[in-house]
Amino acid sequence: MKQDAFDVQRELPSSELDVVATNLIGFDAHYEALKNHLMMMLMPEDVDKWSERHYKKVVPLCRLIQQRHPLFLFSGDVGTGKTVTAECAANRLTREMRKEGFLLKLSTRVRGRGLHGEMSQLIQDAFENLTTQAGKKRLSFLLIDEADSIASLRSTEQMHQEEKAAVNTLTQKIDEVRQSGGRAVVFLCTNRANVIDQAIVRRSALHIEFRRPNEQECLELLAHDLDGLGLTPENLDELVSLTSGGGYHGDNGYTFSDFRLRFLPEALARAFPDEKLTFDVLKKTILSVKPSPRIE
């Protein structure tokens, strides 16, 4: 497959992703929600062992669980941590299982140039790469970001035949991943879950909705990122009240990426290079940096 079809090809476990996970607010909660589902998917023999240990036989439920599709759907606003959570979850599970792993992140270039059959062929090539990696007896993960660009509802009138064929191919390939012997998982991330084809949605073993940070998460993020600047607990509480939902910008509070890619860098730029980054500078910055709009 052409190299540029993937934005990321990474060996796991990765120390770089370990560091990312430690700074990812809310990651531990999302990982705990995912972990057992991933383990049942990637270690089907252990599900049988669980049944033998507790019931002295393999109960029918085990076979039912093992027929699930190894597909996880993450949805939510831009900047709420879907993609990085998928990457870090794959990495942590690989490390905890003491296995070798491989992560493929499919580029949006998979849509191709509009040539007949090109998008479907690129999807086929991506899944062949996934199963090849799984065949090397290591855990393999395929991450499809902006999944709505290739998995939209086939009932949409504006959808042309090439796009419908791509959704059919994607559905077929997800079905085939079940034959990988429990060594491959697909993550689909989307900002618009409502436009994902229902055949894809029905196949997801777990659908996690990512939301903008609540007040506690805002506080945790600000306390971490602004540590050492001399802010008081009262300062942090006021910053939280301004940036979270219901604050200065109304119900549309900051996303995680709004904090770290826009608000905090802008605040630092206003103080650099001659002044300290004070509470007043931070507060004035909030008034001028608007949160990302919600995607309907």
Side-chain angles (χ1 to χ4, degrees):
M1 188 174 185
K2 294 181 180 178
Q3 181 74 18
D4 66 358
F6 293 105
D7 286 331
V8 172
Q9 298 188 63
R10 189 195 298 270
E11 300 277 350
L12 300 177
S14 160
S15 57
E16 180 183 347
L17 286 176
D18 289 337
V19 174
V20 172
T22 62
N23 295 318
L24 186 58
I25 306 300
F27 172 70
D28 288 339
H30 283 132
Y31 181 68
E32 286 305 312
L34 274 168
K35 180 180 177 180
N36 286 351
H37 289 277
L38 285 168
M39 290 177 66
M40 288 191 297
M41 201 72 71
L42 292 168
M43 298 189 300
E45 66 280 0
D46 281 17
V47 177
D48 287 350
K49 291 177 182 177
W50 165 85
S51 182
E52 292 280 6
R53 184 168 66 252
H54 291 285
Y55 303 103
K56 310 304 181 185
K57 63 179 180 180
V58 177
V59 297
L61 180 60
C62 295
R63 295 291 172 260
L64 176 65
I65 291 296
Q66 291 165 9
Q67 287 301 308
R68 293 195 305 169
H69 294 80
L71 173 67
F72 294 84
L73 178 62
F74 292 175
S75 66
D77 275 345
V78 174
T80 50
K82 302 180 296 297
T83 302
V84 68
T85 295
E87 293 174 327
C88 290
N91 184 63
R92 181 172 290 185
L93 187 75
T94 302
R95 188 175 296 285
E96 290 183 354
M97 291 176 63
R98 299 181 180 180
K99 302 278 190 178
E100 292 183 355
F102 200 78
L103 173 67
L104 299 162
K105 181 181 175 184
L106 194 63
S107 168
T108 53
R109 290 183 290 274
V110 74
R111 287 187 62 86
R113 295 160 293 174
L115 301 178
H116 179 68
E118 184 179 24
M119 197 191 315
S120 295
Q121 185 59 54
L122 287 170
I123 292 171
Q124 288 189 48
D125 291 347
F127 276 83
E128 285 178 12
N129 200 324
L130 175 68
T131 54
T132 296
Q133 297 299 333
K136 296 178 181 180
K137 295 186 178 180
R138 57 182 176 180
L139 307 181
S140 298
F141 303 88
L142 175 61
L143 170 56
I144 303 178
D145 206 2
E146 299 181 34
D148 44 277
S149 66
I150 62 171
S152 296
L153 291 163
R154 283 168 289 185
S155 59
T156 305
E157 292 183 2
Q158 293 85 351
M159 188 182 224
H160 56 67
Q161 194 59 39
E162 171 70 5
E163 292 173 317
K164 291 182 179 179
V167 177
N168 290 336
T169 301
L170 179 60
T171 304
Q172 175 189 346
K173 292 302 175 183
I174 289 171
D175 288 344
E176 291 176 2
V177 173
R178 287 193 295 184
Q179 309 306 316
S180 65
R183 290 193 299 274
V185 163
V186 180
F187 291 105
L188 293 184
C189 299
T190 179
N191 306 324
R192 301 187 300 157
N194 60 310
V195 304
I196 299 295
D197 194 272
Q198 285 302 305
I200 304 294
V201 174
R202 286 195 302 270
R203 283 165 169 77
S204 60
L206 185 67
H207 178 184
I208 296 181
E209 184 178 355
F210 286 67
R211 301 181 183 276
R212 298 188 182 219
N214 57 32
E215 290 187 357
Q216 181 57 41
E217 290 169 331
C218 289
L219 179 59
E220 184 179 347
L221 185 150
L222 289 169
H224 178 277
D225 292 358
L226 299 177
D227 184 41
L229 298 187
L231 298 177
T232 67
E234 291 75 22
N235 291 156
L236 291 173
D237 286 343
E238 186 168 349
L239 294 178
V240 168
S241 70
L242 291 171
T243 55
S244 59
Y248 175 78
H249 297 290
D251 292 336
N252 203 30
Y254 281 177
T255 67
F256 290 108
S257 64
D258 286 335
F259 277 108
R260 287 178 162 165
L261 299 182
R262 300 175 61 232
F263 162 52
L264 293 175
E266 173 63 21
L268 178 58
R270 293 184 180 207
F272 180 84
D274 299 319
E275 301 177 8
K276 286 186 175 181
L277 180 50
T278 64
F279 171 69
D280 286 340
V281 172
L282 289 162
K283 187 173 179 179
K284 289 177 181 177
T285 305
I286 291 172
L287 304 183
S288 63
V289 176
K290 295 181 179 180
S292 300
R294 293 185 183 274
I295 295 179
E296 298 297 334

